[in-house]
């Protein structure tokens, strides 16, 4: 079957089996291997991309269901010459060890900082109407992204740094 | 995944053609490990009229396709039913909540490890096959409402909140008729057919969840106990809403999660609390009524004490002085 996707601003028509996930479409059909396959079950967050601006696990998306949608991957938010604020902060703060989870972490954090700006609460927000970025809030809001090297403290530092830059 | 046909529903007439998929966060996971092997998937995400949250009287009508994130973030929900926001935000991850829908959350399957393992017997997966959890390992299993055929617990957080809030499920049948079923009647116990989890018939579609008017002034919380701080299923959870006049409990509603095949309610406990002066002694007595004398599986025996303590802590939180983190006061919007 055929599905049309806009990925990082470019329109693509892909011909695929009904079983194709968005993750496999991105990596194998569109040659965008920045998005990583970790668990393939929505538990690790390595495959996080933005669909219509919202962070999702691309491993739990059927490509067939995303006809007409806009997808943003790690390749779409910056380049080695022009890093996004979060990409810069991850480099600056050394927010990784092996780096495999990093694209997912950065895509997830990109959406998370927007959710904060939009006033979205989390389970650990004392006041559902006035959440502020703290270590506890970052840990809760980023819990869908695992880092098996356990670089969490530096990932939080990087996100906090990017949040300051964006202010 | 096994091969399947994909169809995109364009009208309600299309929904009977196969297995419905919306957010797919649980279904695709189960299809990947071939616990669920539908021949046809019917994608309902483009059906119109199911993605809105609308005021209905003093309550809300939540379309079945409203995502968990949209529902938890909705300003009206945060104000009037903060317990629902908290419960949803306690579940899964932000990525999953952005995809998962209101209707799908209610229909998610158990996370019993034997249901997930196709090399093990499971009556929920294959009726009549047996239950490997009997005599197996099972600290996530249920305390209440089980049968010899199934010991599994329902994993939803959102459904526990909706039960405490006395919500109803709106269902459209194939002939176009719509009915409302209260949350506490929506699920059925496992009995001898644990594969049948609710009263939905062929061609039925959940179209909305109806929230009744908020209990303005009630203190609400969702207390969830789990193995890690975030992104884990509950071992035990308590959803509670309590209104007080002085020290007297004037209104209380409670539901308990991850202890039964569906969100658990206990009317005797509510009766014990209603109209009484809040005190530790009262909560101890109510806990005695709530907690069963034995567990259906030795691995869930610990849940008896955990439920007792979580219940008492929740009641203290909802009746004690001052602001406590995680407690919100329901309010009507002026």
């Amino acid at each position: 079957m055929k599905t049309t996707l806009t990925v990082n601003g470019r329109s693509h028509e892909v011909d695929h089996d009904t079983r194709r996930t968005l993750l496999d479409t991105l990596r194998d059909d569109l040659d965008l291997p920045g998005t990583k396959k970790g668990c393939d079950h929505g538990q690790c967050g390595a495959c996080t991309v933005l669909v219509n601006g919202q962070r999702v696990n691309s491993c739990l998306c059927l490509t067939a269901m995303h006809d007409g949608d806009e997808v943003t991957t790690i390749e779409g938010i910056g380049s080695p010459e022009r890093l996004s604020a979060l990409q810069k902060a991850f480099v600056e703060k050394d927010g990784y060890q092996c780096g495999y989870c990093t694209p997912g972490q950065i895509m997830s954090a990109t959406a998370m900082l927007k959710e904060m700006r939009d006033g979205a609460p989390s389970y650990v927000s004392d006041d559902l109407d006035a959440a502020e970025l703290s270590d506890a809030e970052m840990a809760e809001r980023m819990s869908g992204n695992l880092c098996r090297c356990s670089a969490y403290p530096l990932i939080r530092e990087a996100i906090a740094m990017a949040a300051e830059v964006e202010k | 995944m096994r091969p399947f046909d994909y169809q995109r529903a364009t009208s309600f007439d299309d929904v009977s053609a196969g297995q419905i998929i919306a957010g797919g966060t649980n279904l695709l996971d189960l299809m990947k490990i071939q616990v669920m092997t539908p021949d046809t998937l019917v994608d309902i995400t483009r059906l119109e009229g199911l993605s809105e949250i609308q005021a209905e009287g003093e309550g809300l009508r939540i379309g079945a396709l409203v995502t968990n994130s949209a529902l938890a973030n909705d300003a009206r929900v945060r104000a009037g039913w903060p317990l629902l926001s908290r419960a949803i935000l306690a579940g899964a991850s932000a990525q999953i909540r952005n995809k998962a829908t209101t209707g799908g959350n209610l229909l998610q399957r158990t996370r019993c490890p034997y249901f997930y393992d196709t090399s093990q017997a499971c009556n929920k997966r294959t009726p009549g096959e047996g239950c490997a959890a009997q005599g197996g390992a099972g600290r996530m299993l249920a305390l209440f409402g089980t049968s010899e055929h199934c010991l599994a617990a329902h994993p939803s957080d959102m459904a526990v909140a909706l039960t405490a809030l006395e919500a109803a499920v709106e269902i459209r049948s194939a002939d176009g008729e719509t009915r409302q079923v209260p949350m506490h009647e929506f699920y059925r116990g496992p009995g001898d057919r644990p594969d049948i989890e609710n009263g939905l018939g062929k061609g039925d579609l959940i179209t909305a969840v109806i929230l009744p008017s908020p209990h303005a002034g009630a203190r609400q919380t969702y207390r969830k106990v789990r193995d890690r701080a975030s992104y884990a299923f509950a071992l035990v959870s308590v959803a509670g809403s309590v209104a007080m006049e002085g020290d007297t409990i004037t209104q209380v509603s409670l539901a308990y999660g991850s202890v039964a095949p569906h969100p658990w309610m206990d009317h005797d406990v509510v009766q014990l609390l209603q109209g009484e002066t809040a005190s530790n002694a009262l909560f101890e007595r109510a806990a005695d009524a709530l907690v069963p004398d034995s567990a259906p599986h030795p691995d869930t025996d610990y849940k008896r004490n955990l439920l007792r303590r979580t219940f008492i802590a929740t009641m203290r939180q909802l009746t004690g002085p001052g602001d406590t983190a995680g407690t919100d006061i329901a309010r009507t919007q002026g």
Side-chain angles (χ1 to χ4, degrees), chain A residues 133-148:
Chain A
L133 199 63
S134 62
D135 266 12
E137 283 281 1
M138 276 190 272
E140 167 62 26
R141 289 166 189 264
M142 293 295 292
S143 69
N145 290 84
L146 301 184
C147 169
R148 292 301 74 182

Side-chain angles (χ1 to χ4, degrees), chain B residues 50-109:
Chain B
L50 301 181
S51 302
E52 291 85 38
I53 304 173
Q54 295 162 316
E56 192 166 272
E58 288 176 31
L60 291 179
R61 182 179 186 279
I62 304 156
L65 291 177
V66 171
T67 64
N68 288 181
S69 295
L71 184 54
N73 291 349
D74 188 90
R76 294 163 293 184
V77 175
R78 291 196 299 214
W81 302 266
L83 155 59
L84 179 57
S85 286
R86 291 251 179 225
I88 292 170
L89 294 168
S93 66
Q95 288 96 319
I96 302 257
R97 292 192 296 268
N98 279 339
K99 278 226 103 193
T101 63
T102 304
N105 186 303
L106 297 179
L107 298 179
Q108 67 181 295
R109 311 300 303 275

Side-chain angles (χ1 to χ4, degrees), chain B residues 228-277:
Chain B
R228 57 184 186 204
S230 184
Y231 200 13
F233 290 105
L235 302 169
V236 162
S237 71
V238 180
S241 173
V242 172
M244 307 271 288
E245 271 176 33
D247 290 337
T248 305
I249 298 169
T250 55
Q251 180 271 329
V252 57
S253 53
L254 293 158
Y256 313 90
S258 288
V259 290
H262 45 78
W264 189 251
M265 290 187 100
D266 189 323
H267 294 290
D268 293 344
V269 170
V270 170
Q271 287 294 316
L272 258 166
L273 296 166
Q274 196 101 38
E276 297 295 318
T277 303

Side-chain angles (χ1 to χ4, degrees), chain A residues 18 41-42 59 64 125 143, chain B residues 4 8 29 32 86 95 230-231:
Chain A
T18 56
H41 284 279
C59 74
S125 306
S143 69
Chain B
F4 57 85
R8 193 171 290 151
D29 188 27
K32 287 184 182 193
R86 291 251 179 225
Q95 288 96 319
S230 184
Y231 200 13

